[in-house]
Amino acid sequence: MAFVLFLLMALVLVSYGPGGSLGCDLSQNHVLVGRKNLRLLGEMRRISPRFCLQDRKDFDFPQEMVEGGQLQEAQAISVLHEMLQQSFNLFHTERSSAAWDTTLLEQLHTGLHQQLDHLDACLGQVMGEEDSALGRTGPTLAVKRYFQGIHVYLQEKGYSDCTWETVRVEIMRSLSSSASLYERLRMMDGDLNSS
């Protein structure tokens, strides 16, 4: 038993080690927290999406911007940070607290906050003063508009159970899409380490 505990502790320490030349912690732990957040979103389902077909909506997720290969490292980190921050804000409201199981919701808050903490360090390192406008233009602005549309939708539909269910499914889809961006960032960082 002690040996298993030692191995688990070693694994935790390795997963919290430096993430690469930038000092960004985009370790496997970061990816695991993201997977846990997706699992929590799945567990939060209260009603079948089939009952909410009348509330379905295309939120115009900027998929080509998130999954496309055109983003530079600073842009990619900015986009991921914005997606996580907006998701955290969305599920950290009084109205969302009334819609979801509080235990699962708190676990989701914690997981999103952990991911934001990981990316905050990266964001500060890769974004100099000349890059400070990245949050107000291009891909990051598209993510902000996407989430603004989600907020408007919830408000217009009166925050009903079906609208929250539609949003939950949408956020799962968008965070799943962002996984490819995480992998690209980890590969970019790995390429910098091997040079």
Side-chain angles (χ1 to χ4, degrees):
M1 182 67 174
F3 181 69
V4 172
L5 205 52
F6 171 77
L7 285 176
L8 286 173
M9 190 58 134
L11 181 61
V12 167
L13 290 174
V14 167
S15 71
Y16 277 101
S21 63
L22 295 172
C24 296
D25 186 11
L26 291 179
S27 64
Q28 186 63 27
N29 183 58
H30 185 80
V31 174
L32 291 174
V33 171
R35 287 182 186 150
K36 181 180 179 188
N37 289 340
L38 287 173
R39 183 182 52 75
L40 287 167
L41 279 166
E43 290 177 19
M44 287 170 65
R45 180 177 126 173
R46 292 183 12 189
I47 55 178
S48 172
R50 290 183 312 191
F51 294 122
C52 301
L53 294 176
Q54 74 281 1
D55 289 308
R56 283 184 18 189
K57 177 172 174 53
D58 180 5
F59 292 100
D60 294 324
F61 177 66
Q63 189 146 0
E64 58 284 343
M65 288 192 182
V66 172
E67 290 182 351
Q70 312 88 330
L71 294 180
Q72 298 300 316
E73 185 174 31
Q75 288 175 313
I77 291 172
S78 179
V79 164
L80 286 173
H81 188 275
E82 190 64 34
M83 287 182 69
L84 292 170
Q85 185 65 60
Q86 292 287 341
S87 297
F88 180 85
N89 293 347
L90 183 67
F91 287 105
H92 204 266
T93 64
E94 190 176 318
R95 293 198 188 255
S96 76
S97 295
W100 305 110
D101 174 279
T102 54
T103 302
L104 293 174
L105 190 61
E106 284 302 316
Q107 290 175 5
L108 180 64
H109 291 162
T110 300
L112 290 170
H113 194 268
Q114 285 176 334
Q115 285 188 292
L116 282 166
D117 282 349
H118 294 158
L119 281 176
D120 276 340
C122 296
L123 198 57
Q125 291 174 16
V126 299
M127 289 184 74
E129 287 188 28
E130 69 278 359
D131 294 326
S132 64
L134 279 177
R136 297 184 301 273
T137 60
T140 306
L141 184 59
V143 170
K144 287 180 181 181
R145 287 183 180 146
Y146 164 73
F147 277 95
Q148 184 179 21
I150 290 173
H151 283 283
V152 168
Y153 167 79
L154 282 165
Q155 189 175 17
E156 287 176 349
K157 294 283 192 168
Y159 301 92
S160 71
D161 287 346
C162 273
T163 56
W164 275 114
E165 178 59 23
T166 301
V167 166
R168 182 194 67 81
V169 170
E170 178 67 18
I171 298 302
M172 281 184 70
R173 188 175 72 82
S174 67
L175 290 179
S176 292
S177 292
S178 70
S180 63
L181 197 50
Y182 282 115
E183 286 306 313
R184 278 200 27 251
L185 281 170
R186 289 183 64 190
M187 288 186 336
M188 280 181 197
D189 200 29
D191 290 345
L192 290 173
N193 286 333
S194 63
S195 327

